[in-house]
Each structure stands twice: as structure tokens, then as C-alpha cells.
């Protein structure tokens, strides 16, 4: 935990974004030190200073202050105009609004001054959450003909896109890694050549903050805890009351998931509607806007919807932390027509980050991490591990029109942040769920002394007896943290032999990935090398009819010694490196991605 003295400095510490040339020697660890003599709008560290935009600089809704210089011919992201964001620009504020803005800024300054007198927990300290290669980068326009070591397989034609959290502005208080603005990194492949670009997803939230030149929206995890969290909510509501900001058109960051469905690339976080992105012919990205499926979707959608590989339906959940119904299930037909919501009764709002599908069912976890906003009144976090609650899984027919046929099966002390797959075994009256069971369940959100442990597990839900069993898939002697990854998406919801999962060692970094045989428990590892780390491995199948492991693993890898990033392409059968694309910009560790084939790209909306 950061010391109290460090917490009271006027700047947070940050790690480098770019280096003109790597230093000849670097320490194995990059300690960041606060510098009271530095510019108040910069964050300093042992390697470089990253300059953040000044408060209330000239407003513009068509540029990003951290974007690298872009030639005029490059396609720039589409950012919502003032009429679309439905809030007045600072220049057009009336006298009352300007007075309110000044007064509320003074209140915020006093609040920040009070907060800095107390050390932040590791889960909300920017110096921990966004240090090293977790730190943000500027936007990068499409750059082509990148250096490639090895040979890109001929079957890889299209674009690999990966989402991540990338705060545009310096955090003024607590910040969790999940709080950052969404940025998508795209590597386009064509005829053995590759290009790279990265762009912010221009959410309503980001567009307004860029207009104001500062962060004003409360951060869901890093800031909303205890009495200061209540104060920040009240401050935001006060600004809304005077028309200085507008949260009615979404407050999400769209930084977690990506899905390509019905010719739309959608960026998602579970606190908002998806955002529609478009890939340009030259490999760049633009934001089309907040996407409600032509007016059909009127609630949030979680970041892990599932596309059934046989029916091509999209299945999704929506959860609410304030009012009932706390949970809803719905699906979209392949042409984007939404089913009616199925309202699933829950006693309290529960974190529903992920779920699973089988051939006929959706499998919904109702686990022990819950939301209790009342905890803020007593000074705590609203994200709570409820030790008295019994975790369970709900089994619901995919085509259900109401929750009456839903069957709940208890699975005590089971918390899976992600579920990798599920399938039916009718001969046993069972549904098999594959997920990584994490302990402590809330360690991602709340500081604790116990080290996180993520165990790849097989959970069997017996529909006849209503009982469950759970066992680790790999042996205790081979136990490693496996978190973030996937199975062959052509077999999602059907019995699969292999899963490709990130080796989250040393947590939270990823030192490689594992190809796990889900039947035998055999683990084959691919390691990135000394001081090289990555993120989620994406499995790209080589067609539909081949062997289950016939394909390639794509993963961004960052060398913390040379401070350079690349995209590696690994043969999934042999775990041999096929090619490595050298990238012109650092790629921070991030979240989830997908691959869009060139044939599908030609039909994008």
C-alpha cells in the first residue's frame, strides 16, 4: 500500500508511454517516485514524464489531446457533436451555470484535498493500478507495412481487435484499472502484411470530458466507496442539475468486451449500451455511436454476450445495481431482432460479468459478489463479498419467454469471474461448466492480504437431482492462475477438449498462455520470455471443419526490458511461434478481443 506521505502529493505517479530509444540498462522493476517540482498537469516516474491535458483547455469535439500527429488523409474517429451529447459547451453556459461550475469546482478541490490525506488501498491507487505497461498510451493512426519476423499464415486475413482501459486524463483521486476509458487496438492482415492502429471509443462520457478538458464522471470502482464516494455522486448530480454534464445518454467506458454481430463491431462494458465501431479500409477505427439495436435495447448489456456458432443468435444479460428487475436475459436473431426481456427474480443485485450457453440453455451464475450501496454510508465499498450467500447457477431455456422454467442449482463457495464454456451431457442429466474459480472472490475490487488464486474447474450441474459437484481440472502440482482466454468459438456451447488461457503469473501480469486438455488435465505452456508479458490469448480457428485445435493463437506481448510491443502468432497444435508483428506503439495490458475475417469486414454496417 502506498504511504500516507505519497498519497498527499499533488501528482500521481505514472510509467512511460514511449521511449525514443531504449536505455542500455534498466532496473528489473520500475519504481515510480512522486516529484513535487514537476508540472502539476504531469505524472512523473523513473523513465519518463507523461503530460496530461490541462483543465478547461480550449474545447473541441473533433480531436483528442493525447493523439499523435495525424496526416490529414487519415480517417479520424467520429465524435459525438454537441447536439448529440445534448449538453451545452462551456462557452455557452449562462451566468448561473458558470457560477455553479466555479462553486462545484471549489467543492471538488476541497474533496480531493481531504482524500489525499489518507492512503488509498491498492485496488484504488493509480500508482498501483496503472503503473508500468498498465499505463495509458496516445491514439495511433493506422501505420502499414509493419516489420514481420517469420511468416503470417495465409489463412489470417482480416482484423484482430482488442479492447482495454486507457484513461485519457490523469486521475484526480482513486482509480481502478477497470475505470479507464475504452481504447481498441487493431492489427489488420492482408496478403501477409500487417498494419496497426489504436483509437479511443468515443463514448458519451469521453466526449463530454473532452469538451470540459477534465474528468468529471465518477469512477465506478476507484472512487465510489465510503463517504467520499457519496460526496462524488452528489457532486456529479449537482453538475447534472445545472446542465454542466449529462449522464442520461450513458456513463459507460466501453473498455471490456468486443463482439462482431450482424455486421456491427460492438465495444462493451456492462454499465452501458454497446458502442458501434467501424473499421476503415485503411485499417483505422472510428466510433459510430452508442448502439441500441435500432431502438430495441433499452437497458445495459454485459461485456460478454455469446454468439451461438450454429444458430448465430446473440445471447446477453443486463443487470441493474439500483432497482428491480436486477437481472434480465434476452437474445437477438442473426439479423438483429431482439426477443422480449426475461426478468429473472433476484433478492439483491449481483455482479454478472459473464455467463455461458449450451446447445439448448443459458447458464447464469448468481454468486457471492453483490452490490450493497448502503455499505458506502458506513464508509465501505458497495462491491461486497457476502459470505452468508450460497453461490448457485440458473439454467434457463434459450428460447424462454419467462423465468418460470428456470432451475437453480447451488454451487457453494464458487466464484467464477469468467466462464470459458459449457455443454450438455444428456446421458448423465448434467450440464458441464468450465470456469476459473477465484479466491478471494472480491480480491479484484477490495484489498485483502490473501493472494489471489484462480483454479480452472469443472462444475457439474445435475438437472435431475439438483446437486452440483466441482473439481480442479489440472493437478495441484501444476496449479497456476489461469484467467482470460477462450475455447474454439466454432464449438462454443458444445463439448470441447481444449481451452487456451492466460498464465496470470505473477498476478496480475500474464507471462504466457496454457493450452489445457479439459479431459485429461494436461497442460502445455507457451512462455513469452524473460520480462515479457501479454494478455488474453485469442484462438483463431483455421476454418470450421478441421480439428478442434487446428488454428492459431494471437496475443499482444510487451517486452518490459526493451519497452517494445509486438503481436505474436503461435501455432495452436504445436505451440511454435509462426510470426511476430513488430508494433510502432506500446500496447498496454488489456482485456478482451475478437477477430473479424476479411469477408465479414466487407459487409460491415
Amino acid at each position: 500500500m502506498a504511504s500516507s506521505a505519497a498519497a498527499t502529493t499533488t501528482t500521481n505517479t505514472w510509467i512511460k508511454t514511449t521511449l525514443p530509444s531504449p536505455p542500455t540498462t534498466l532496473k528489473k522493476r520500475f519504481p515510480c517516485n512522486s516529484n513535487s517540482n514537476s508540472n502539476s498537469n504531469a505524472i512523473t516516474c523513473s523513465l519518463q514524464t507523461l503530460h496530461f491535458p490541462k483543465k478547461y483547455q480550449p474545447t473541441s469535439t473533433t480531436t483528442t489531446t493525447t493523439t499523435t500527429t495525424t496526416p490529414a488523409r487519415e480517417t479520424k474517429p467520429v465524435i459525438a457533436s454537441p447536439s448529440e451529447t445534448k449538453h451545452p459547451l462551456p462557452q455557452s453556459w449562462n451566468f448561473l451555470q458558470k457560477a455553479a461550475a466555479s462553486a462545484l469546482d471549489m467543492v471538488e478541490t476541497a474533496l480531493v484535498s481531504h482524500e489525499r490525506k489518507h492512503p488509498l488501498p491498492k485496488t484504488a491507487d493509480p500508482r498501483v493500478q496503472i503503473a508500468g505497461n498498465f499505463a495509458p498510451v496516445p491514439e495511433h493512426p493506422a501505420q502499414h507495412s509493419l516489420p514481420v519476423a517469420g511468416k503470417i499464415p495465409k489463412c489470417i486475413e482480416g482484423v484482430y481487435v482488442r479492447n482495454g482501459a486507457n484513461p485519457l486524463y490523469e486521475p484526480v483521486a482513486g482509480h481502478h484499472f477497470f475505470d479507464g476509458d475504452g481504447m481498441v487496438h487493431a492489427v489488420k492482415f492482408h496478403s501477409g502484411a500487417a498494419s496497426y492502429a489504436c483509437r479511443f471509443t468515443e463514448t458519451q462520457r469521453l466526449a463530454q470530458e473532452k469538451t470540459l478538458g477534465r474528468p468529471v464522471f465518477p469512477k465506478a470502482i476507484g472512487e465510489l466507496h465510503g463517504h467520499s464516494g457519496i460526496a462524488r455522486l452528489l457532486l456529479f448530480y449537482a453538475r447534472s442539475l445545472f446542465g454542466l454534464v449529462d449522464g442520461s445518454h450513458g456513463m459507460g467506458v466501453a473498455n471490456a468486451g468486443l463482439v462482431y454481430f450482424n455486421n456491427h463491431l460492438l465495444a462493451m462494458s456492462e454499465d452501458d449500451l454497446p458502442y458501434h465501431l467501424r473499421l476503415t479500409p485503411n485499417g483505422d477505427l472510428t466510433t459510430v455511436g452508442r448502439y441500441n439495436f435500432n431502438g430495441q435495447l433499452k437497458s445495459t448489456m454485459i461485456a460478454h454476450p455469446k454468439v451461438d456458432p450454429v444458430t448465430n443468435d446473440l445471447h446477453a444479460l443486463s443487470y441493474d445495481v439500483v432497482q428491480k428487475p436486477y437481472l434480465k436475459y434476452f437474445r437477438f436473431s442473426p439479423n438483429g431482432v431482439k426477443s422480449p426481456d426475461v426478468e429473472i427474480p433476484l433478492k439483491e443485485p449481483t455482479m454478472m460479468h459473464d455467463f455461458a450457453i449450451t446447445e439448448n440453455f443459458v447458464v447464469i451464475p448468481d454468486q457471492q459478489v453483490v452490490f450493497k450501496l448502503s455499505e458506502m454510508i458506513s464508509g465501505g465499498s458497495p462491491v461486497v463479498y457476502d459470505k452468508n450467500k450460497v453461490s448457485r447457477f440458473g439454467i434457463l431455456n434459450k428460447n424462454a419467454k419467462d423465468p418460470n422454467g428456470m432451475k437453480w442449482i447451488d454451487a457453494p463457495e464458487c466464484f467464477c469471474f469468467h466462464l470459458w464454456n459449457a455443454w450438455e451431457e444428456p446421458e448423465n442429466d448434467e450440464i458441464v461448466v468450465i470456469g476459473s474459480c477465484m479466491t478471494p472472490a472480491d480480491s479484484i475490487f477490495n484489498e485483502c492480504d490473501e493472494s489471489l488464486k484462480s483454479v480452472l474447474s469443472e462444475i457439474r450441474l445435475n438437472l435431475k437431482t439438483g446437486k452440483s459437484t466441482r473439481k480442479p481440472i489440472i493437478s495441484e502440482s501444476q496449479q497456476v492462475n489461469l484467467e482470460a482466454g477462450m475455447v474454439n468459438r466454432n464449438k462454443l456451447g458444445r463439448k470441447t477438449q481444449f481451452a487456451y488461457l492466460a498464465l496470470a503469473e505473477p498476478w496480475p501480469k500474464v507471462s504466457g498462455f496454457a493450452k489445457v486438455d479439459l479431459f485429461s488435465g494436461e497442460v502445455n505452456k507457451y512462455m513469452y520470455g524473460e520480462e515479457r508479458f501479454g494478455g488474453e490469448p485469442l484462438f483463431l480457428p483455421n476454418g470450421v471443419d478441421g480439428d478442434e485445435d487446428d488454428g492459431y493463437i494471437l496475443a499482444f506481448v510487451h517486452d518490459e526490458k526493451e519497452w517494445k510491443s509486438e503481436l505474436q502468432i503461435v501455432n495452436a497444435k504445436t505451440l511454435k511461434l509462426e510470426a511476430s508483428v513488430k508494433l510502432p506503439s506500446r500496447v498496454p495490458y488489456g482485456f478482451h478481443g475478437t477477430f473479424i475475417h476479411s469477408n465479414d469486414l466487407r459487409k460491415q454496417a
Side-chain angles (χ1 to χ4, degrees):
M1 181 184 295
S3 67
S4 178
T8 60
T9 57
T10 56
T11 61
N12 297 309
T13 53
W14 206 277
I15 207 74
K16 65 180 275 357
T17 52
T18 57
L19 274 179
S21 59
T24 55
T25 59
L26 289 176
K27 294 181 180 180
K28 288 192 174 183
R29 296 179 63 86
F30 303 116
C32 292
N33 301 296
S34 52
N35 183 353
S36 60
N37 296 322
S38 64
N39 186 313
S40 62
N41 290 299
I43 287 178
T44 62
C45 71
S46 58
L47 294 179
Q48 189 192 23
T49 299
L50 173 63
H51 292 276
F52 282 85
K54 293 182 179 180
K55 295 181 179 180
Y56 296 110
Q57 55 187 330
T59 59
S60 171
T61 57
T62 57
T63 59
T64 303
T65 51
T66 57
T67 303
T68 52
T69 301
T70 306
R73 66 178 181 274
E74 296 288 351
T75 303
K76 299 187 89 65
V78 176
I79 301 172
S81 67
S83 61
E84 290 172 320
T85 56
K86 302 198 185 299
H87 69 282
L89 297 175
Q91 304 99 305
S92 63
W93 286 348
N94 59 37
F95 174 79
L96 180 61
Q97 287 176 312
K98 291 178 180 178
S102 178
L104 292 172
D105 285 351
M106 292 176 61
V107 171
E108 183 177 16
T109 299
L111 177 61
V112 171
S113 177
H114 172 74
E115 289 176 332
R116 285 179 173 166
K117 295 177 182 178
H118 307 281
L120 289 167
K122 292 177 182 178
T123 51
D125 191 336
R127 290 163 295 190
V128 175
Q129 292 292 307
I130 38 181
N133 194 44
F134 290 96
V137 292
E139 289 185 318
H140 198 289
Q143 184 167 331
H144 303 89
S145 301
L146 301 178
V148 177
K151 187 176 182 180
I152 298 172
K154 291 183 179 180
C155 65
I156 300 182
E157 286 277 329
V159 179
Y160 170 52
V161 283
R162 197 221 67 193
N163 212 342
N166 197 85
L168 173 61
Y169 292 109
E170 173 185 355
V172 297
H175 181 94
H176 188 281
F177 183 50
F178 291 177
D179 290 329
D181 300 300
M183 173 176 276
V184 176
H185 302 259
V187 178
K188 184 175 182 179
F189 300 92
H190 179 63
S191 299
S195 67
Y196 168 80
C198 65
R199 294 291 187 183
F200 282 103
T201 296
E202 299 289 343
T203 62
Q204 293 283 335
R205 175 190 185 113
L206 184 63
Q208 292 186 56
E209 291 189 338
K210 288 168 70 174
T211 298
L212 296 172
R214 56 173 296 192
V216 290
F217 283 74
K219 296 182 177 180
I221 304 175
E223 291 182 345
L224 298 188
H225 49 81
H227 299 145
S228 63
I230 296 174
R232 288 197 169 277
L233 282 176
L234 294 175
L235 185 64
F236 179 77
Y237 290 141
R239 285 179 169 140
S240 300
L241 181 65
F242 286 99
L244 308 178
V245 293
D246 182 6
S248 64
H249 298 275
M251 296 172 59
V253 287
N255 66 13
L258 290 170
V259 67
Y260 190 77
F261 173 71
N262 189 29
N263 303 323
H264 291 74
L265 175 60
L266 304 178
M268 300 158 293
S269 56
E270 53 212 53
D271 53 356
D272 204 342
L273 297 178
Y275 274 81
H276 178 198
L277 309 180
R278 184 177 292 129
L279 289 151
T280 68
N282 76 336
D284 215 329
L285 290 149
T286 66
T287 301
V288 179
R290 196 165 177 251
Y291 187 65
N292 61 13
F293 291 84
N294 296 321
Q296 299 177 93
L297 184 61
K298 303 182 186 303
S299 60
T300 63
M301 188 171 86
I302 69 168
H304 288 285
K306 309 296 180 187
V307 178
D308 187 300
V310 176
T311 67
N312 291 319
D313 289 344
L314 181 77
H315 302 267
L317 300 176
S318 173
Y319 70 83
D320 196 300
V321 303
V322 177
Q323 61 185 1
K324 292 183 177 181
Y326 295 130
L327 180 64
K328 295 184 289 189
Y329 159 71
F330 49 88
R331 69 186 187 282
F332 293 92
S333 66
N335 60 355
V337 177
K338 182 179 176 294
S339 72
D341 290 334
V342 177
E343 297 181 359
I344 299 172
L346 295 178
K347 293 181 180 179
E348 58 189 344
T350 301
M351 175 167 288
M352 297 279 182
H353 182 70
D354 200 1
F355 72 112
I357 63 170
T358 69
E359 184 177 355
N360 297 294
F361 301 102
V362 289
V363 183
I364 301 172
D366 177 22
Q367 302 174 127
Q368 291 172 283
V369 177
V370 300
F371 296 95
K372 293 186 178 181
L373 301 184
S374 59
E375 290 292 315
M376 297 174 66
I377 298 174
S378 58
S381 168
V383 183
V384 177
Y385 168 65
D386 185 352
K387 63 180 179 180
N388 296 318
K389 181 180 179 180
V390 177
S391 294
R392 59 181 184 166
F393 287 89
I395 314 300
L396 181 69
N397 190 285
K398 281 180 174 177
N399 299 317
K401 296 181 179 179
D402 57 57
N404 294 336
M406 191 166 196
K407 188 176 185 66
W408 290 102
I409 298 177
D410 289 349
E413 300 300 323
C414 176
F415 176 78
C416 296
F417 198 55
H418 292 109
L419 300 176
W420 311 122
N421 200 17
W423 62 82
E424 301 161 29
E425 291 190 357
E427 66 276 14
N428 302 322
D429 295 311
E430 288 183 331
I431 289 179
V432 179
V433 181
I434 306 297
S436 292
C437 294
M438 300 176 66
T439 54
D442 63 339
S443 57
I444 295 177
F445 308 101
N446 297 313
E447 186 172 2
C448 58
D449 295 328
E450 184 180 350
S451 297
L452 183 140
K453 188 175 184 180
S454 183
V455 178
L456 182 63
S457 302
E458 176 191 274
I459 305 158
R460 288 183 170 267
L461 309 173
N462 193 296
L463 298 176
K464 188 174 183 179
T465 66
K467 303 292 184 182
S468 71
T469 60
R470 173 163 53 104
K471 69 174 184 179
I473 291 175
I474 61 179
S475 65
E476 181 65 29
S477 62
Q478 290 187 291
Q479 169 59 35
V480 288
N481 287 330
L482 296 174
E483 179 57 45
M486 62 184 60
V487 299
N488 185 327
R489 65 181 180 181
N490 290 335
K491 297 183 179 294
L492 190 69
R494 282 74 183 171
K495 194 171 187 175
T496 45
Q497 182 177 359
F498 300 108
Y500 308 89
L501 302 170
L503 289 165
E505 306 273 358
W507 179 266
K509 292 184 180 180
V510 171
S511 54
F513 66 83
K515 177 184 179 182
V516 183
D517 188 318
L518 301 176
F519 302 161
S520 68
E522 180 183 1
V523 179
N524 288 291
K525 299 177 182 178
Y526 178 88
M527 308 303 296
Y528 297 133
E530 184 180 2
E531 295 188 54
R532 295 164 66 87
F533 302 94
E536 175 191 69
L538 177 132
F539 176 79
L540 179 62
N542 184 13
V544 177
D545 301 323
D547 294 340
E548 185 185 321
D549 62 346
D550 181 11
Y552 299 92
I553 304 295
L554 277 62
F556 284 119
V557 178
H558 180 69
D559 189 322
E560 295 193 350
K561 182 169 54 178
E562 299 295 329
W563 213 251
K564 294 180 179 179
S565 297
E566 62 188 30
L567 178 71
Q568 292 193 358
I569 303 172
V570 179
N571 188 301
K573 274 187 174 289
T574 65
L575 296 190
K576 300 296 183 183
L577 181 65
E578 297 276 351
S580 178
V581 180
K582 310 302 179 183
L583 301 175
S585 173
R586 178 172 66 85
V587 178
Y589 307 131
F591 300 137
H592 308 290
T594 191
F595 190 92
I596 309 166
H597 290 278
S598 56
N599 290 337
D600 294 323
L601 275 177
R602 285 191 281 269
K603 298 179 288 185
Q604 72 171 323

